[in-house]
Amino acid sequence: MQYQWLNQLEQKHHQSFFELYTKEWWTQSRSYDDAINMLVHCDLIIACCDMQDRVIGFARVLTDYTFKALIFDVIVDESTRGLGLGQEIVSRIIRHPDLQKVQGFELYCPERLVPFYEKQGFVKGSSCLMFHQA
């Protein structure tokens, strides 16, 4: 299968992105307008489209380009899971030319995905994750 890799999503991709994005447990309640607004304010986006220009893989990064890069929303369409797209998305982030000075990449994930990220070179951290939500 052939894919198209993108570092930004054009308006023509927004609907298929939103359909992919809101299938996950942590994104289901997010609105279309908020999801598109989020895209505008990310430091880096990696997206994968199929040959019909449908978004089938996605992740975003917030970073200072020096010390830390936080990876969010690594999502692969259910129909294409197991083909290595998630691994390729993470690899493209870590190898991205704009992120070569970054000293550490971080993400959080459910326990069931720890083995997937460990295969990518991530290790479990020892710090406590704290939240303050509006």
Side-chain angles (χ1 to χ4, degrees), residues 58-126:
F58 173 81
R60 63 188 178 106
V61 178
L62 300 178
T63 184
D64 59 20
Y65 296 99
T66 304
F67 300 110
K68 299 223 182 253
L70 295 169
I71 301 171
F72 293 98
D73 301 330
V74 178
I75 302 171
V76 175
D77 187 84
E78 283 185 77
S79 67
T80 56
R81 288 183 185 162
L83 302 176
L85 289 180
Q87 182 178 5
E88 183 64 23
I89 289 169
V90 174
S91 178
R92 283 175 179 263
I93 290 170
I94 292 170
R95 293 188 338 250
H96 195 281
D98 293 347
L99 302 177
Q100 291 310 294
K101 288 184 67 177
V102 171
Q103 294 176 14
F105 291 85
E106 299 178 9
L107 56 81
Y108 50 96
C109 66
E111 193 68 32
R112 66 182 172 78
L113 291 177
V114 168
F116 169 80
Y117 288 108
E118 286 177 335
K119 289 178 187 172
Q120 312 294 318
F122 287 84
V123 296
K124 276 188 169 186
S126 60

Side-chain angles (χ1 to χ4, degrees), residues 15-30 54-56 75-81 112:
Q15 186 60 43
S16 69
F17 158 75
F18 185 69
E19 289 168 9
L20 172 73
Y21 188 70
T22 55
K23 287 181 182 176
E24 298 303 324
W25 60 268
W26 72 92
T27 59
Q28 289 176 350
S29 65
R30 297 179 182 178
R54 183 178 64 103
V55 178
I56 58 171
I75 302 171
V76 175
D77 187 84
E78 283 185 77
S79 67
T80 56
R81 288 183 185 162
R112 66 182 172 78

